[in-house]
């Protein structure tokens, strides 16, 4: 085995065996994990060392928005590595300077100052810190159907069951209900949803609440697109009560929904905007917290009590600049909006063809299907936080047919790279159609 470790050509099985023996996989019991060994990737596909090819219908973890192996991003990273791989965060570097200015240009309203992190969880940690220091208040409102990251504070913000095993978390986080209540109960109308939140604000004491964090379009908890007026209503409540509105766009930012940022669909400017994933298309880890001018001004004469060794890492900043240039050069944001229309049609076709499809929704290239056991009762095909033989079979069918995507509870995702061609998109839906026929036959 030691020879295998030193050589450059492990077999697929050696990669899986060594990885499982010596590294820990996240959110899983280790015995249950059956990882796909990945050797390379290009465009919308990745492949195994023994040559099995997969269509990447989830952009890995909803992050490789620009597609795999783009030489423009690779070269920018190589160039930066050869010039200046690292400078500490008290220094100013050209990629850091350029990236701050570029983000100020593409983020909404007067958001024009950024604190860089290693990823999304740290971005949310620092968003919370900014809101607390800026307001002098301590509570943070967050929603139940959410994921904000796995560090202590972000895990506490997270509303979904990934939080449970990590409790107790940090003090001061209050969860509120979402406008969506699952496939059987469905959606609240906007006035009802907003009234429920205002009630919590009153009950908690508005003067104690520093911020309200929400995923603009909720990601892993169901591609939940806010009903008309909801986001504007949250903005209005936050303004009225002096609460900082924090939009987590770690997953839905950078073109995923067909706009640079999902808030752009509703013309809402949050006080704080967090991002990661699509910021570099995951070529190098990077997250960021954007803040409105008044928050940045607050820290002119006051200390910002936060830091990271890899804050503003030059390699990551260079990768982000190159990634954003690719989005612009290839018009990938507009492309996501246009292909999003095609995807909406393909999702509607699935719903028409398969009785197991209970709901299908998408915005841009951010899509999800909820499966049900029966269209009349709308009983989900797997329970909340659980799985079922049918959902497991669906996952196996996707894998056997060369499609990679996320299958979670009673849902699966359709989140390809924004660079995907229409033919590849249709190829993916063809595989989904065949796999769903297997599920239908089980019911
Ligand atoms: C909406 C959202 N926020 C935060 C995070 C955490 O980001 P990271 O895993 O980079 O820490 C994620 C990760 O999936 C996410 O989807």
């Amino acid at each position: 085995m030691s020879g295998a470790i030193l050589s450059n050509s492990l077999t697929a099985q050696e990669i899986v065996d060594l990885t499982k023996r010596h590294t820990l996989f996240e959110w899983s019991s280790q015995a249950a994990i059956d990882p796909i060994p990945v050797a390379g990737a290009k465009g919308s596909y990745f492949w195994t060392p023994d040559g099995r090819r997969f269509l990447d219908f989830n952009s890995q973890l909803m992050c490789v928005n620009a597609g795999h192996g783009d030489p423009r991003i690779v070269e920018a990273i190589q160039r930066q590595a050869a010039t200046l791989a690292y400078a500490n965060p008290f220094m100013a570097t050209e990629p850091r300077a350029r990236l701050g200015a570029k983000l100020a240009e593409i983020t909404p309203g007067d958001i024009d100052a950024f604190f860089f992190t290693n990823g999304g969880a740290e971005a949310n940690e620092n968003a919370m810190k900014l809101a607390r220091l800026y307001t002098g208040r301590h509570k943070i409102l967050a929603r139940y159907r959410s994921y904000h990251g796995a560090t202590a504070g972000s895990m506490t913000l997270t509303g979904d069951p990934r939080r449970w095993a990590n409790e107790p978390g940090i003090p001061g986080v209050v969860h509120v209900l979402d406008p969506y209540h699952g496939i059987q109960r469905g959606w609240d109308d906007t006035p009802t949803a907003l009234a429920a939140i205002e009630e919590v604000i009153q009950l908690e004491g508005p003067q104690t609440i520093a911020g309200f964090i929400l995923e603009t379009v909720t990601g892993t908890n169901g591609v939940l697109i806010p009903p008309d007026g909801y986001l504007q209503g949250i903005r209005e409540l936050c303004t009225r009560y002096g609460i900082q509105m924090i939009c987590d766009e770690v997953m839905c930012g950078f073109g995923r929904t067909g706009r640079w940022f999902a808030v752009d669909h509703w013309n809402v400017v949050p006080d704080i905007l967090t991002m990661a994933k699509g910021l570099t298309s995951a070529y190098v880890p990077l997250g960021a917290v954007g803040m409105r001018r008044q928050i940045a001004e607050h820290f002119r004469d006051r200390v910002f009590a936060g830091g990271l060794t890899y804050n503003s890492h030059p390699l990551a900043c260079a990768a982000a600049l190159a990634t954003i240039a690719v989005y612009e050069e290839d018009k990938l944001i507009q492309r996501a909006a246009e292909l999003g229309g095609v995807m909406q049609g393909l999702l509607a076709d699935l719903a028409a063809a398969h009785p197991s499809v209970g709901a299908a929704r998408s915005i841009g290239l951010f899509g999800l299907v909820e499966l049900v056991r029966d269209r009349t009762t709308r009983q989900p095909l797997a329970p909340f936080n659980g799985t079922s033989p049918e959902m497991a079979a669906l996952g196996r069918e996707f894998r056997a047919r060369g499609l990679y995507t996320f299958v979670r509870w009673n849902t699966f995702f359709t989140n390809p790279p924004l660079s995907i061609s229409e033919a590849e998109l249709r190829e993916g839906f063809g595989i989904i159609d065949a796999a769903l026929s297997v599920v239908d036959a089980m019911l």
Side-chain angles (χ1 to χ4, degrees):
M1 195 53 100
S2 59
I5 296 170
L6 292 174
S7 85
N8 254 338
S9 51
L10 297 185
T11 65
Q13 196 56 51
E14 284 168 338
I15 291 172
V16 169
D17 291 346
L18 279 172
T19 308
K20 286 196 71 170
R21 177 162 179 83
H22 295 294
T23 73
L24 219 56
F25 284 85
E26 55 186 63
W27 305 120
S28 312
S29 56
Q30 304 302 300
I33 276 279
D34 179 19
I36 302 174
V38 185
K42 187 78 183 169
S44 305
Y45 295 90
F46 66 90
W47 53 87
T48 66
D50 43 8
R52 287 203 59 210
R53 196 175 77 141
F54 288 86
L55 179 58
D56 189 351
F57 239 47
N58 199 49
S59 310
Q60 288 301 304
L61 210 46
M62 302 87 162
C63 53
V64 187
N65 293 9
H68 294 280
D70 192 298
R72 293 163 290 184
I73 305 173
V74 173
E75 279 158 26
I77 296 167
Q78 286 170 332
R79 245 191 337 268
Q80 189 59 44
T83 310
L84 176 70
Y86 177 74
N88 87 40
F90 297 100
M91 315 255 165
T93 66
E94 181 165 344
R96 176 181 181 166
R98 286 186 186 278
L99 182 58
K102 185 67 198 175
L103 289 174
E105 189 188 309
I106 62 175
T107 48
D110 60 346
I111 293 175
D112 74 347
F114 302 86
F115 180 75
F116 294 112
T117 66
N118 295 294
E122 284 178 354
N124 288 329
E125 293 285 347
N126 284 285
M128 191 161 29
K129 190 175 282 193
L130 284 167
R132 286 176 164 170
L133 291 171
Y134 177 68
T135 59
R137 306 171 177 183
H138 75 284
K139 284 182 198 161
I140 307 282
L141 299 186
R143 298 189 301 186
Y144 277 102
R145 293 175 195 272
S146 69
Y147 180 72
H148 295 295
T151 52
S154 295
M155 193 81 261
T156 312
L157 297 175
T158 293
D160 85 14
R162 282 172 277 191
R163 168 172 44 87
W164 299 346
N166 291 290
E167 289 178 316
I170 64 164
V173 174
V174 176
H175 283 104
V176 298
L177 287 169
D178 302 74
Y180 186 65
H181 302 285
I183 185 122
Q184 286 177 299
R185 281 186 55 206
W187 295 87
D188 287 339
D189 61 32
T190 296
T192 306
L194 293 174
I197 287 169
E198 185 165 17
E199 187 177 349
V200 174
I201 292 172
Q202 292 294 356
L203 294 169
E204 286 293 332
Q207 74 285 358
T208 69
I209 303 171
F212 180 9
I213 187 165
L214 65 163
E215 291 174 70
T216 313
V217 174
T218 301
T220 42
N221 283 277
V223 185
L224 303 175
I225 303 152
D228 286 346
Y230 177 84
L231 216 61
Q232 295 93 326
I234 298 287
R235 173 67 277 180
E236 199 277 317
L237 283 175
C238 286
T239 303
R240 179 152 22 116
Y241 293 110
I243 296 167
Q244 302 307 294
M245 181 178 183
I246 305 168
C247 283
D248 177 344
E249 297 228 3
V250 168
M251 191 178 284
C252 61
F254 291 96
R256 176 55 59 197
T257 68
R259 298 287 183 93
W260 276 109
F261 295 94
V263 285
D264 298 337
H265 288 280
W266 296 278
N267 293 318
V268 161
V269 181
D271 301 297
I272 297 173
L273 182 70
T274 61
M275 58 196 92
K277 295 187 187 273
L279 171 57
T280 55
S281 276
Y283 281 60
V284 174
L286 184 68
V289 194
M291 67 204 84
R292 296 180 71 179
R293 183 59 4 218
Q294 72 259 23
I295 301 178
E297 288 300 323
H298 179 84
F299 293 100
R300 276 186 73 84
D301 303 311
R302 297 178 187 85
V303 172
F304 173 64
L308 297 158
T309 298
Y310 302 132
N311 160 9
S312 307
H313 198 289
L315 273 191
C317 291
L321 282 164
T323 303
I324 294 168
V326 167
Y327 294 147
E328 290 182 327
E329 208 172 304
D330 295 355
K331 300 189 167 44
L332 290 185
I333 313 299
Q334 295 95 307
R335 193 180 165 68
E338 286 158 19
L339 273 183
V342 176
M343 190 160 95
Q344 220 150 39
L346 291 166
L347 285 167
D349 292 346
L350 288 183
H354 298 281
S356 57
V357 173
R361 48 184 173 266
S362 66
I363 179 167
L365 286 174
F366 203 13
L368 170 129
V369 175
E370 283 207 56
L371 297 180
V372 291
R373 199 162 286 288
D374 172 332
R375 271 201 181 165
T376 323
T377 64
R378 298 176 76 73
Q379 183 190 351
L381 197 49
F384 179 74
N385 198 33
T387 185
S388 64
E390 294 85 1
M391 293 306 296
L394 182 69
R396 282 196 303 275
E397 285 298 321
F398 287 160
R399 187 160 168 170
R401 293 166 190 270
L403 181 105
Y404 174 72
T405 194
F406 226 50
V407 178
R408 186 177 194 252
W409 307 352
N410 69 318
T411 70
F412 68 88
F413 291 79
T414 59
N415 304 320
L418 313 185
S419 55
I420 195 168
S421 70
E422 186 172 333
E424 291 165 341
L425 189 69
R426 290 184 183 280
E427 177 194 338
F429 274 86
I431 295 173
I432 292 170
D433 183 44
L436 281 176
S437 297
V438 173
V439 170
D440 287 337
M442 289 173 79
L443 295 175

